[in-house]
Amino acid sequence: MSGLVYFAVSMSLDGYIAPDSPDELMGKQWMELQHWVFSTEFFRSNLKLGSGGETGPDDDIARATFERTGTSVMGKRMFDAGEQMWPEEAPFHTPVYVVTHERRDPWQRPGGTEFHFVNDGIEGALELARAAAGERDVRISGGGDTILQYLNAGLIDEFTVSLAPVLFGAGVRLFEGVDASRIALEQREVVPTKRATHLTYAVRQR
């Protein structure tokens, strides 16, 4: 039996987790949104960018998120963007299940990441991810629509939002279309740092 099903995302103060277009990823606002993690020692180490980076609470959170994750699940939109941006040794180092209508053989990358393409919806992908995760947790990596589907289906146990001091004005909202009548939250932890405020909630059904 695997552990929890969770997601962890960075969010702007006005509620956005990504720009509208994948072409805007790595733009100025996106870099500001992710600055808290990009600046950490763990991020540099995981992507083999060399020594350096900051230690402290942000680094601890980034490292703990990686270490608790036995498998990841993502949507096709996130995979398509990441396929162009990730280094050859993708940063997951675990199996990743991509929810898609596309039929495609597994794609293995150096360093232990292997992408599997699942054609029978979010439940099918989660069942495979749970089996592969063992006793570790399953992370719903994104994008926003995939997270929302899992949240509305009652399949999320916990989530962390890292609230960054940046405004987007437009883009992909994390909770756009959430079924608030079915979901209750219990605050678990608040970790303020100089770069973000990390908010963790347990998810309960109303």
Side-chain angles (χ1 to χ4, degrees):
M1 176 63 70
S2 66
L4 300 177
V5 179
Y6 81 103
F7 66 86
V9 296
S10 301
M11 186 172 76
S12 69
L13 283 174
D14 51 349
Y16 297 97
I17 61 171
D20 276 323
S21 170
D23 294 337
E24 298 175 49
L25 292 175
M26 305 306 291
K28 182 178 180 181
Q29 286 175 305
W30 171 255
M31 296 298 290
E32 290 175 353
L33 180 68
Q34 303 295 345
H35 186 51
W36 75 267
V37 66
F38 288 167
S39 66
T40 63
E41 182 183 71
F42 170 76
F43 179 83
R44 294 190 60 82
S45 173
N46 190 36
L47 269 72
K48 294 183 167 49
L49 299 176
S51 60
E54 298 177 1
T55 58
D58 289 329
D59 185 64
D60 293 342
I61 287 169
R63 190 179 305 274
T65 300
F66 175 82
E67 290 177 350
R68 70 183 284 192
T69 302
T71 55
S72 296
V73 177
M74 69 179 60
K76 182 63 160 52
R77 184 175 185 267
M78 180 176 177
F79 173 78
D80 286 346
E83 189 176 16
Q84 306 301 317
M85 294 169 46
W86 293 319
E88 183 180 12
E89 187 171 315
F92 302 96
H93 308 291
T94 65
V96 178
Y97 295 87
V98 181
V99 182
T100 178
H101 297 295
E102 179 185 8
R103 296 191 177 277
R104 178 171 169 177
D105 291 334
W107 186 42
Q108 188 166 1
R109 310 304 295 147
T113 301
E114 185 169 9
F115 294 93
H116 302 267
F117 302 89
V118 183
N119 305 129
D120 56 350
I122 61 171
E123 291 85 357
L126 182 57
E127 182 178 355
L128 293 170
R130 281 187 182 277
E135 296 182 355
R136 296 167 73 190
D137 295 337
V138 175
R139 180 177 182 178
I140 309 303
S141 295
D145 180 66
T146 301
I147 288 173
L148 188 66
Q149 289 183 58
Y150 277 99
L151 191 58
N152 282 342
L155 298 173
I156 298 291
D157 299 307
E158 181 181 287
F159 67 83
T160 298
V161 171
S162 296
L163 197 60
V166 58
L167 299 172
F168 263 43
V172 177
R173 283 191 179 274
L174 177 59
F175 296 114
E176 188 74 40
V178 70
D179 187 354
S181 67
R182 297 182 55 197
I183 297 168
L185 303 178
E186 174 187 328
Q187 186 164 289
R188 285 282 180 84
E189 187 177 41
V190 178
V191 181
T193 75
K194 67 179 181 179
R195 300 196 188 281
T197 302
H198 306 280
L199 308 168
T200 299
Y201 300 90
V203 181
R204 304 282 184 257
Q205 296 300 303
R206 288 191 185 277

